[in-house]
Amino acid sequence: MIKVLHPFAADIDMQTSSTTPESHDAAAAAPVGGRVPALDLIKWVAIATMVIDHARAIWPSLQILTVPGRLAFPLFCLVMASNVARQHRGVPHTSRNARYLGSLLFFGVISQPIFTAVFGRDLNIFWLLSSALAITLAVHHRTPIALLLGVLGTVVAIVLHDQLGYHVIGVLVPAVMAMALQSKGAAKGAWMAASCTLCCLANMLVPEVLEVLLSGAQGALVVAAAAFAAPLVGFWLLGTKMTLSIKPVGRWGYLFYPMHLGVLVLVRNLSI
C-alpha cells in the first residue's frame, strides 16, 4: 500500500510570500490570515484517496483502488508546498515552522507502532515528510539556517532511503512543487512537469505499485498515468477560484492518520 497521510492539517494562514504576488495560483494570492477553499478541498480529496488506497491492506484483491490512491501523496505534498510558498522568503525560523516540523516528528513516533501492525515494514510517511519540509524550507528561504536544515533533511533521507515509502525521490516533491507555484510561463510548466515525473518515479519505488506495473495487467498503464497526472490535478484545483464553502481540515488531521490505521487493523482482525 502507499503509506500516505494527512500531515498538513494546520490552518494555512501563513503570511503571503513577497516573492509571489503576481502568481495566478489561488493559494499564493490568498490574503494574509485567509483560508483558500481550493486548498481545503485538496486536503479532503487527499484524505479520501489515502483511505481508499490503504483499504487495500484489508482487501488486496481490489487492485482498482491503486488508481485513486495515486492522488493522495502528491496532493499532500502540494499542500506542504503551498504552505511554504506563502511564507515571506528569508524568515524560516518561525514558531509556525517549528510547530509544523515538530508535529510531523511527533506523529511519526506515535504512528509507527500501528503503522507496523498494518504494513509490517518501513517507516510511516511522517518521517519522509519531515525531511521533505526541511528541504522545501531550504529551497524557499535560502538562508544559512534554512540551508543547514535542508542539508540535515537530505542526510536523514539518504540514510533512511530504503525505509521510506517513496525513497529519496519522494522527499524532493514538495520543494519542486513550491518552485512551480512561484514560477511563471515556461519555467512554471517545467517545474510542474518535474513534479509529475518525480511523483511517477517515486510511485514506481513502492513495492506494491511496482508489482502492479510489472504485472502486465491492463490497468498497469492507468496506474502509471494516474501517478504522473496526480500533481496536475492538484495544480488545477489550486488555481480554481471557488465560491463553495469547504469545511476546513483542522489539526485533527494529524491524529486521523494513526486512527484510520487502527480502524484498518480492527477490521482485518474481525474479518479473520
Side-chain angles (χ1 to χ4, degrees):
M1 301 321 104
I2 303 305
K3 298 94 173 174
V4 294
L5 73 163
H6 182 68
F8 313 115
D11 290 343
I12 55 170
D13 56 348
M14 297 180 178
Q15 292 180 303
T16 305
S17 172
S18 59
T19 63
T20 59
E22 69 282 349
S23 173
H24 295 291
D25 293 308
V32 176
R35 298 200 65 85
V36 181
L39 201 51
D40 283 321
L41 177 59
I42 289 173
K43 293 177 184 180
W44 282 109
V45 173
I47 290 174
T49 52
M50 173 192 71
V51 174
I52 289 172
D53 190 51
H54 284 177
R56 293 178 61 239
I58 308 300
W59 302 287
S61 61
L62 297 179
Q63 296 293 336
I64 188 63
L65 299 181
T66 306
V67 177
R70 305 288 57 73
L71 289 174
F73 178 70
L75 293 184
F76 285 131
C77 286
L78 184 57
V79 174
M80 174 180 283
S82 299
N83 285 341
V84 174
R86 297 181 68 205
Q87 299 177 24
H88 283 298
R89 179 166 287 174
V91 190
H93 47 287
T94 63
S95 59
R96 181 178 298 280
N97 284 333
R99 290 196 304 271
Y100 200 170
L101 183 57
S103 295
L104 292 175
L105 293 172
F106 175 76
F107 281 94
V109 172
I110 68 171
S111 299
Q112 191 58 43
I114 190 65
F115 178 88
T116 301
V118 176
F119 299 106
R121 66 179 188 281
D122 298 338
L123 295 172
N124 67 72
I125 201 69
F126 280 116
W127 300 105
L128 183 152
L129 292 170
S130 297
S131 291
L133 177 60
I135 294 172
T136 306
L137 289 171
V139 169
H140 178 68
H141 292 289
R142 305 175 191 176
T143 63
I145 293 178
L147 293 174
L148 177 60
L149 188 63
V151 170
L152 291 175
T154 301
V155 170
V156 171
I158 292 174
V159 171
L160 301 176
H161 75 278
D162 59 342
Q163 299 179 59
L164 301 176
Y166 295 90
H167 296 259
V168 176
I169 292 178
V171 172
L172 301 176
V173 173
V176 174
M177 287 180 167
M179 293 300 297
L181 291 174
Q182 298 174 82
S183 302
K184 296 182 65 177
K188 186 180 188 69
W191 286 114
M192 290 175 65
S195 300
C196 295
T197 301
L198 288 178
C199 285
C200 189
L201 292 175
N203 271 282
M204 290 182 180
L205 294 175
V206 178
E208 291 82 0
V209 176
L210 182 60
E211 181 180 349
V212 173
L213 295 175
L214 296 178
S215 66
Q218 294 181 347
L221 290 179
V222 177
V223 171
F228 184 86
L232 296 179
V233 174
F235 284 119
W236 174 74
L237 288 174
L238 199 57
T240 301
K241 293 184 178 180
M242 297 184 179
T243 58
L244 297 176
S245 177
I246 307 295
K247 183 177 178 60
V249 176
R251 293 186 180 278
W252 59 263
Y254 287 98
L255 188 59
F256 179 82
Y257 184 69
M259 289 182 63
H260 95 279
L261 292 179
V263 171
L264 289 177
V265 171
L266 179 61
V267 172
R268 184 173 63 187
N269 291 341
L270 292 176
S271 63
I272 296 178

